[in-house]
Amino acid sequence: ILQLINRIGAERLDDVIYRAVKLVSEKGVSINHILAEILVYYYLLNKGYSYISIEESVGVARCDVYAKRDGFDVCIEIDFYTVPQDFMLNRMKYILARHIKKMLQIVKSNINAAIFAYPYGLIPLIPTELIKPIDARSRKKLLNLISSIKDLIPLDSDDVDHLMKVYIHSILIIDIDDGKVYDLSPQSIENLITAYESLIKKSDSVK
């Protein structure tokens, strides 16, 4: 942790360093996850957020990083795509369900926006229908999305209404090696995922 702090030249982080060490030593949070949280914390601090906390619960949402600025709050979820052993043969479905569950928790907790963060080198796997602007989403497609993962997470009848209004502020790419965080728009990530899926399908059709 101290090596990362020195690498990024961070200051004013005594409180978060103390909390980070406790989370690793007492709660068993992985060091990779904690390093990512510290980088996001420092990034948001430099963006002018007045309140930032790691591993904070807000309503029913557990935020890896929670931040406020000018009355606007965000819940950041950092995902390394770790999947429990029981779901190894349904990995993609599990990751999809985890994203949906987190978005539902965020909107039900009246948090203004969600931010998803991933380590450099991973393709963000947010459902593309949820990356779209709120007014461009298809209720039918979201119902199909919910139906596809209902055996993994319990869903209420009004969950599609919550998904229709959850706001994804941005997507962060975390480069721990260089100590940098890159902020990407939802539209750019939608284009990336669409291009990736198209490439995979094209490769499969060649066979």
Side-chain angles (χ1 to χ4, degrees):
I1 292 173
L2 292 177
Q3 286 179 356
L4 176 67
I5 296 299
N6 291 331
R7 181 177 297 178
I8 63 179
E11 299 177 355
R12 300 170 293 155
L13 295 185
D14 289 348
D15 290 343
V16 74
I17 292 173
Y18 176 74
R19 177 155 171 72
V21 170
K22 286 192 68 175
L23 286 166
V24 173
S25 61
E26 298 179 10
K27 302 294 183 181
V29 179
S30 76
I31 188 66
N32 282 338
H33 205 84
I34 286 296
L35 292 177
E37 289 181 353
I38 291 173
L39 271 181
V40 171
Y41 181 104
Y42 188 57
Y43 172 79
L44 295 173
L45 186 66
N46 288 328
K47 286 292 183 179
Y49 281 84
S50 56
Y51 175 85
I52 315 168
S53 177
I54 63 173
E55 296 291 334
E56 179 163 338
S57 294
V58 181
V60 297
R62 180 70 173 179
C63 305
D64 289 327
V65 183
Y66 176 72
K68 293 181 182 178
R69 181 178 63 186
D70 300 328
F72 184 86
D73 62 344
V74 294
C75 179
I76 296 96
E77 174 74 2
I78 300 169
D79 203 331
F80 281 80
Y81 297 157
T82 303
V83 175
Q85 184 176 340
D86 291 347
F87 298 97
M88 288 301 294
L89 296 180
N90 289 291
R91 181 175 177 274
M92 294 296 293
K93 191 175 183 180
Y94 180 87
I95 292 171
L96 176 65
R98 186 162 61 199
H99 277 79
I100 292 174
K101 181 179 180 181
K102 180 59 64 174
M103 282 185 262
L104 288 171
Q105 291 173 346
I106 288 171
V107 73
K108 288 179 180 180
S109 300
N110 295 314
I111 298 171
N112 294 126
I115 294 178
F116 287 93
Y118 308 88
Y120 188 93
L122 288 186
I123 298 290
L125 295 176
I126 308 171
T128 52
E129 196 62 31
L130 289 168
I131 301 177
K132 295 177 180 178
I134 291 174
D135 57 2
R137 292 175 192 166
S138 163
R139 185 180 182 85
K140 181 179 179 180
K141 289 182 179 179
L142 288 180
L143 283 169
N144 291 337
L145 190 61
I146 287 176
S147 178
S148 71
I149 49 90
K150 64 182 179 182
D151 58 323
L152 293 184
I153 57 173
L155 297 168
D156 299 325
S157 58
D158 61 346
D159 280 337
V160 66
D161 296 319
H162 290 303
L163 291 176
M164 286 293 290
K165 61 184 180 181
V166 64
Y167 171 52
I168 298 179
H169 178 275
S170 59
I171 289 82
L172 302 180
I173 302 300
I174 304 165
D175 187 344
I176 293 178
D177 289 5
D178 288 339
K180 294 181 179 179
V181 175
Y182 302 94
D183 193 324
L184 304 177
S185 70
Q187 181 62 54
S188 64
I189 293 300
E190 182 184 0
N191 293 340
L192 173 64
I193 295 173
T194 300
Y196 181 76
E197 291 178 344
S198 176
L199 184 63
I200 295 298
K201 290 177 181 177
K202 185 181 295 185
S203 175
D204 189 53
S205 65
V206 171
K207 297 177 183 179

